[in-house]
């Protein structure tokens, strides 16, 4: 009886809306009929667990996904013990800590910085590029000047631990990043908020002991991060050169647009990269590539080239670390 009353009441409301605004009524019905998991946030590697907690504080209070991903990755950037992002990041071969970051929201707004030195939170500089300039990307000296003009402080990012590691590396000066260690240099985070909006952020000190001036995939929209609010979002980690070659995260999102699940899309993108590695007669075992993806329904997926990549998902139920399935 109770259910019947509820049904009649609901039907009354919807037919009322239908008479006034048919499109709105269809939207309400569509939202009710599909089970959307939101909010949800996922991020790369085990440092993602703590970063998710920060993002969750915002998402669970009906905050915006853009604010959540910025705050989430800032945690890693400011941690001197995290040797792959922001403060304390491993330097390039000349001893400079150079940072790459980008951010994208549900409106297609984008901002990025590349080869930025001396600033602890490059993600926030990327957001300032997005919100306060007519451009989408600033690099090197220009990015630093802009950051300083916005009130960011100039700091020394090369910690004693990172300096010692670099000096040890100088003894051989061999550029051969250790898979899953020296090339897991990025936190990428993607989130769907209570309003159904997607955003993403990623930030890194890049490949350890790279050439000075080298820019990876992290500040390149469509390579390490892509968001399409109609479809989904994806972020990547690993050897940036390979991800750029395939426009990796744009590929993942486009595959989802064609009907693939986030899991299937990540698998397909890793297989494409693998094919090109083989074609170019490189050894895939020398590299790691990982993708994570999220669609508008809050469904997620992840896949990587070889064992060792993990990622963290936080939804209303729990925050957990998951080992990604892999190709080889
Ligand atoms: C780069 N893609 O600089 C970054 C490194 C990274 O997980 O993501 N590592 O190539």
């Amino acid at each position: 009886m109770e259910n019947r009353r509820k049904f009649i009441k609901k039907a009354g409301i919807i037919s009322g809306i239908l008479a006034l605004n048919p499109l709105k009524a269809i939207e309400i019905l569509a939202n009710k009929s599909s089970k959307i998991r939101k909010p949800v946030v996922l991020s790369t590697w085990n440092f993602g667990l703590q970063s998710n907690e920060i993002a969750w504080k915002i998402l669970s209070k009906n905050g915006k996904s853009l604010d959540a991903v910025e705050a989430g990755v800032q945690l890693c950037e400011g941690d001197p013990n995290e040797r792959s992002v922001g403060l304390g990041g491993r330097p390039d071969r000349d001893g400079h800590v150079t940072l790459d970051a980008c951010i994208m929201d549900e409106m297609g707004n984008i901002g990025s910085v590349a080869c930025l030195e001396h600033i602890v939170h490059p993600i926030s500089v990327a957001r300032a590029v997005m919100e306060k300039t007519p451009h989408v990307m600033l690099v090197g000296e220009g990015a630093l000047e802009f950051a300083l003009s916005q009130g960011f402080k100039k700091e020394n990012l090369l910690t004693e631990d990172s300096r010692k590691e670099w000096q040890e590396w100088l003894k051989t000066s061999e550029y051969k990043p250790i898979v899953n260690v020296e090339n897991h240099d990025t936190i990428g985070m993607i989130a769907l908020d209570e309003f159904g909006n997607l955003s993403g952020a990623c930030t890194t000190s890049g490949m350890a002991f790279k050439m000075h001036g080298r820019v990876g995939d992290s500040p390149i929209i469509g390579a390490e991060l892509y968001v399409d609010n109609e479809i989904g979002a994806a972020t990547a980690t690993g050897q940036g050169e390979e991800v750029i070659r395939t426009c990796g995260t744009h590929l993942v999102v486009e595959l989802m647009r064609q009907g693939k699940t986030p899991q299937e899309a990540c698998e397909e993108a890793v297989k494409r990269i693998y094919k090109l590695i083989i074609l170019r007669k490189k050894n895939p075992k020398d590299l790691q590539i990982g993708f994570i993806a999220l669609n508008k329904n809050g469904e997620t997926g992840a896949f990587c080239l070889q064992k060792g990549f993990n990622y963290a998902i936080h939804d209303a139920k729990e925050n957990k670390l998951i080992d990604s399935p892999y190709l080889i």
Side-chain angles (χ1 to χ4, degrees):
M1 193 62 185
E2 181 62 8
N3 279 348
R4 194 163 170 265
R5 250 189 244 129
K6 269 191 193 154
F7 175 78
I8 291 170
K9 196 171 161 203
K10 214 169 170 185
I13 293 170
I14 289 175
S15 55
I17 298 173
L18 191 59
L20 289 171
N21 187 345
L23 281 179
K24 187 77 198 161
I26 289 166
E27 194 185 310
I28 291 171
L29 286 170
N31 274 337
K32 291 277 177 232
S33 60
S34 64
K35 283 215 165 55
I36 299 176
R37 172 164 67 151
K38 61 182 182 171
V40 56
V41 55
L42 56 163
S43 49
T44 54
W45 302 105
N46 43 13
F47 42 50
L49 269 181
Q50 282 176 300
S51 296
N52 280 358
E53 292 290 350
I54 303 290
W56 189 255
K57 280 190 189 148
I58 295 173
L59 291 171
S60 60
K61 291 187 191 125
N62 291 344
K64 288 178 62 176
S65 55
L66 181 69
D67 296 327
V69 295
E70 182 190 11
V73 303
Q74 272 181 347
L75 182 80
C76 263
E77 290 181 330
D79 182 351
N81 299 318
E82 192 39 70
R83 310 288 283 287
S84 53
V85 182
L87 177 65
R90 294 187 183 89
D92 63 22
R93 66 184 190 184
D94 299 334
H96 301 270
V97 180
T98 65
L99 308 174
D100 295 340
C102 75
I103 193 158
M104 184 164 190
D105 73 6
E106 78 276 8
M107 308 283 290
N109 291 311
I110 54 176
S112 83
V113 288
C115 209
L116 172 65
E117 293 185 56
H118 306 300
I119 302 290
V120 176
H121 293 301
I123 197 66
S124 301
V125 185
R127 184 166 176 176
V129 171
M130 174 171 102
E131 291 176 344
K132 298 187 177 157
T133 80
H135 308 303
V136 298
M137 184 184 228
L138 292 177
V139 306
E141 276 298 311
L144 178 60
E145 268 170 37
F146 169 70
L148 298 177
S149 78
Q150 296 299 306
F152 290 87
K153 275 210 208 88
K154 187 170 179 176
E155 296 185 41
N156 174 24
L157 304 182
L158 187 64
T159 55
E160 201 39 35
D161 285 343
S162 285
R163 195 183 57 79
K164 278 191 192 140
E165 217 180 299
W166 168 58
Q167 283 179 332
E168 198 48 43
W169 175 83
L170 281 176
K171 290 179 184 163
T172 55
S173 295
E174 198 189 352
Y175 182 69
K176 213 167 179 253
I178 305 167
V179 170
N180 291 327
V181 181
E182 283 174 359
N183 69 355
H184 83 80
D185 289 291
T186 298
I187 178 153
M189 179 180 273
I190 44 182
L192 179 67
D193 64 25
E194 193 57 44
F195 309 102
N197 286 327
L198 291 157
S199 298
C202 61
T203 176
T204 187
S205 51
M207 304 300 286
F209 318 128
K210 60 196 175 185
M211 288 172 70
H212 184 57
R214 180 263 188 190
V215 170
D217 55 337
S218 306
I220 299 177
I221 296 291
E224 196 164 287
L225 176 72
Y226 198 68
V227 175
D228 182 324
N229 207 42
E230 285 182 1
I231 305 296
T235 188
T237 183
Q239 183 80 39
E241 283 76 4
E242 302 305 317
V243 179
I244 293 173
R245 208 181 306 283
T246 47
C247 304
T249 54
H250 186 258
L251 174 62
V252 170
V253 171
E254 288 307 301
L255 288 164
M256 290 195 281
R257 191 191 307 280
Q258 289 164 23
K260 295 213 185 297
T261 64
Q263 183 59 38
E264 290 165 347
C266 290
E267 289 179 17
E268 173 71 27
V270 170
K271 284 177 191 160
R272 293 253 189 118
I273 288 178
Y274 177 77
K275 260 195 212 161
L276 290 181
I277 294 171
I278 298 300
L279 190 67
R280 286 161 36 248
K281 300 192 175 21
K282 307 275 180 205
N283 183 357
K285 279 285 180 189
D286 291 342
L287 311 170
Q288 179 60 294
I289 305 291
F291 288 103
I292 58 177
L294 168 66
N295 69 12
K296 281 290 274 185
N297 292 331
E299 294 157 344
T300 61
F303 202 63
C304 63
L305 190 59
Q306 58 178 306
K307 195 173 172 176
F309 168 52
N310 54 16
Y311 65 105
I313 300 188
H314 201 323
D315 62 8
K317 228 168 68 197
E318 59 188 340
N319 185 21
K320 66 175 177 201
L321 196 63
I322 300 173
D323 285 329
S324 166
Y326 50 92
L327 185 67
I328 50 174

